[in-house]
Every structure is written in C-alpha cells, then in structure tokens.
Amino acid sequence: MTDNTTHPETIQHKVEALLYEQTTSWELAAHNYKGLEKAHQRYISFNNGRLKLGLQFNPERIYSSAAKVDDKSISERKCFLCPPHLPPEQKGIAWKEDFLILVNPFPIFPRHLTIIHREHIAQRINGHFAEMLDLAQSLEQYVVFYNGPRCGASAPDHFHFQAGNKDFLPVYNEFETHEKILLKTQQGNSAWSMEQYLRHCTVLEGNNPTLLESWFQQLLQHMKSITPQEPEPMMNFLATYENNIWRVFLFPRRLHRPRQFFAEGEDNILLSPAAVDMGGMLIFPREKDYTGIQKEAIEDILKQITWDENDYQQLITRFSNSNL
C-alpha cells in the first residue's frame, strides 16, 4: 500500500491484479464473486420500451440492504471501513495520499471496488467532488459512485466511494438515446435533465473539471434552499470518464427507504435503493421480492424516494438561470 501514483494505466493494472489476488486467496471474496456468476438477473421495460430497469437477486447484499444506519447503531459498532478494522485477508492499493482502493467482498458488479478514506471522517460529498472526478479518470473502465449518508451508505460515518463496471448500469447506455432537456452549456460543458425517467436525474458532462465542480456547488446550494436536509441534501452520484469527457449523474432523494421496506407480511419488500438502484439496477437480497415485484410497485417505490415534481422543477430552473 505504498504506491501513491494516480496514473490511469498504472492504477487500472494494479486494480486488476488486486481483484485477481483477492478473489483467489481471500475465501469470503472468492466465494461471493463465484456466487455472483450465478446471480439471477432480469430486465423490465417501461414507457413503451424507452427505458429499462434491471433486477438482480443477490442474497449476499442483505448485509447492506438491511443495515442499521441510525445514530445509535452506528455508535455501538466498530467502523468496518477503518483500516485497523479491515479483515486481515483484505488488501488494498493506495490512491493519492488519503485513499485506499479495496475489493468489495459483497459484490453487485463483476468487478466491485470500495475506495475508503484513510481517516475516519463522515460521509459528505462537499469537499470531495473533485476527488470523485479524479477517481473516475483514474478508473476509466469503471463507474464511480457515491451514496449519501442518509440514502444508501451502509457506513455513513466513514467517507468512501464505490466503483464497478460502468456498462453494467442501464443509465450509462441510456443517456445518449433517452429524452433529455439541455439546461445550460458553457466552455465545453453541458448540463441536462433526463425526462420521463421514473426518477429525477440531472447530468453534468464536459472536459472542464473546474466548471463541473462549480456547477455541482450551484446544485448543492439550490438543493439546500429548496429542501433543507441534514447533514447534507439526500443524493446519489454516478461519475464516468471516457474520451476526455466526464459525465456525472445526480439523483436527488427525499427518502432513504420506501414504505414497502417497513411494511409487514406480504406487503414487505426488502429494497433499499442506493446509487446502483438509481442507476437502473435494483438489488434484491430476497428471491421472493425479485420474482414477485410488479412494475407498478417499482414505479411507486421510485416515485416515493425521488424528489417531487415541483421541487425538481424549481431546482433545474434555478440552476439553468444561474450565471455560471
């Protein structure tokens, strides 16, 4: 864990070597990645085939989907992302001075990484957006994602990103073809809103990372004023880098978990949406939910957790009209 280089080719090579080593020598990771090869997966089309959502049955994700993230539960457990508490079998590679890249032993993706901060600092995206862009550039074959502390992060007390195969998520392929509205364009960067997409999604793209970060700050401030939330506005991010262009997908959230998560009996659906789900791949740790869920229930769940239409229209209008 001593090489701090961030050169993309070097990092990609080291990550591939790490994945091979961990999935062959670490029993937990080897078992779960082998099991992932047999994971059930299917797709459902919506809006007359204009978009699709994937469904994955992945029982090992029960630890994340059902994680207790209330303050009391967090305070009573050791932080499993702090380097001193990592399993002795878990190895990592350094990225920049402050981060370690690890293999996630409970994968959703065929290649699934967790990128942890070396220090025990809280999960907050503000101040780390530029690092997310840098990480996407270093891991060009991956989509880098961020789960807010109240909408998907199973370790809200320890700052981290995750990353996985970028072509795994439907949103990555749908952006080019799906209906969208141009919000603004400047200095080679563009901002868009995905339309008729079941959940609200604002997309920033371009080759100017300074302007992308400025636009992110604008969105963050507008979100804070429209729906004040603590400790930060609820949101999930996905970021990719390809052909010298960054693309960042922002999903504003109003709920962590839908009412079906807390329902009793047959009405209970164990679905705890995070960035991967917002990106178009819904993760089900129970087979009955994976096989039994209907389109209407999926639409209802996504409607519950995304911003309502009035608030989202305020956000993109204010953002479109801002000077930068």
Side-chain angles (χ1 to χ4, degrees):
M1 300 183 186
T2 59
D3 189 351
N4 288 334
T5 182
T6 59
H7 191 278
E9 291 183 4
T10 304
I11 288 295
Q12 292 279 174
H13 177 76
K14 288 181 175 290
V15 164
E16 294 307 308
L18 179 69
L19 278 160
Y20 176 79
E21 188 277 332
Q22 291 282 267
T23 56
T24 54
S25 67
W26 184 13
E27 184 177 353
L28 175 64
H31 175 269
N32 288 341
Y33 277 84
K34 192 68 175 177
L36 187 64
E37 296 175 2
K38 301 177 181 178
H40 295 277
Q41 202 161 287
R42 63 189 178 100
Y43 291 87
I44 300 179
S45 295
F46 294 83
N47 293 352
N48 297 318
R50 287 186 297 168
L51 67 110
K52 65 179 181 179
L53 292 175
L55 286 70
Q56 183 188 91
F57 169 48
N58 191 334
E60 295 303 325
R61 294 298 297 182
I62 187 71
Y63 305 102
S64 178
S65 297
K68 295 182 178 180
V69 292
D70 59 281
D71 292 342
K72 183 175 184 294
S73 297
I74 294 295
S75 67
E76 291 177 348
R77 58 106 170 113
K78 289 183 179 180
C79 176
F80 54 86
L81 292 185
C82 279
H85 302 154
L86 297 176
E89 302 91 344
Q90 191 163 27
K91 312 301 180 185
I93 57 175
W95 183 75
K96 293 195 170 184
E97 294 183 358
D98 296 328
F99 289 87
L100 292 175
I101 300 176
L102 310 172
V103 171
N104 191 317
F106 301 102
I108 295 171
F109 302 80
R111 295 179 294 175
H112 193 160
L113 309 174
T114 302
I115 302 91
I116 64 170
H117 201 283
R118 292 178 183 270
E119 303 297 326
H120 186 71
I121 61 174
Q123 184 80 336
R124 308 284 186 274
I125 189 60
N126 199 17
H128 297 286
F129 185 84
E131 291 169 334
M132 184 174 70
L133 297 182
D134 289 346
L135 187 58
Q137 186 176 24
S138 294
L139 298 174
E140 191 168 345
Q141 298 177 15
Y142 291 77
V143 55
V144 174
F145 56 100
Y146 169 86
N147 290 317
R150 296 178 56 240
C151 50
S154 54
D157 54 331
H158 194 117
F159 186 80
H160 64 286
F161 297 107
Q162 294 183 69
N165 312 62
K166 64 184 177 184
D167 59 353
F168 182 78
L169 296 180
V171 70
Y172 170 75
N173 296 308
E174 288 174 339
F175 175 78
E176 296 288 353
T177 58
H178 193 77
E179 177 185 354
K180 50 190 177 289
I181 296 174
L182 180 64
L183 303 179
K184 67 169 66 178
T185 182
Q186 184 181 356
Q187 298 177 21
N189 286 7
S190 301
W192 308 84
S193 175
M194 303 282 277
E195 296 298 297
Q196 303 298 316
Y197 204 57
L198 298 184
R199 66 279 194 202
H200 293 304
C201 179
T202 303
V203 186
L204 310 179
E205 68 168 349
N207 58 13
N208 186 330
T210 302
L211 183 56
L212 288 175
E213 183 168 14
S214 175
W215 283 0
F216 157 71
Q217 289 294 339
Q218 290 178 36
L219 285 167
L220 184 64
Q221 293 308 312
H222 292 317
M223 291 175 71
K224 287 180 177 179
S225 65
I226 295 169
T227 60
Q229 295 168 322
E230 295 296 338
E232 69 178 17
M234 295 176 67
M235 53 191 159
N236 303 109
F237 279 101
L238 303 170
T240 64
Y241 180 83
E242 189 172 350
N243 298 324
N244 299 316
I245 297 294
W246 282 277
R247 190 172 286 162
V248 180
F249 302 83
L250 163 64
F251 300 92
R253 297 280 298 272
R254 60 174 170 171
L255 281 181
H256 175 200
R257 288 163 171 164
R259 60 176 172 269
Q260 288 89 342
F261 183 92
F262 306 100
E264 301 291 337
E266 290 301 312
D267 294 330
N268 177 257
I269 300 175
L270 192 59
L271 178 65
S272 184
V276 171
D277 308 80
M278 301 303 280
M281 182 61 68
L282 305 179
I283 308 302
F284 295 91
R286 295 192 314 205
E287 188 171 15
K288 83 169 189 69
D289 299 328
Y290 168 79
T291 58
I293 196 165
Q294 302 297 311
K295 291 177 66 171
E296 295 76 14
I298 292 174
E299 292 173 338
D300 177 57
I301 287 170
L302 291 176
K303 185 176 181 179
Q304 289 179 59
I305 64 174
T306 196
W307 272 25
D308 66 40
E309 189 64 29
N310 288 336
D311 286 344
Y312 184 69
Q313 289 302 319
Q314 280 193 63
L315 175 66
I316 60 175
T317 299
R318 293 185 188 182
F319 175 67
S320 299
N321 293 335
S322 54
N323 292 328
L324 289 177

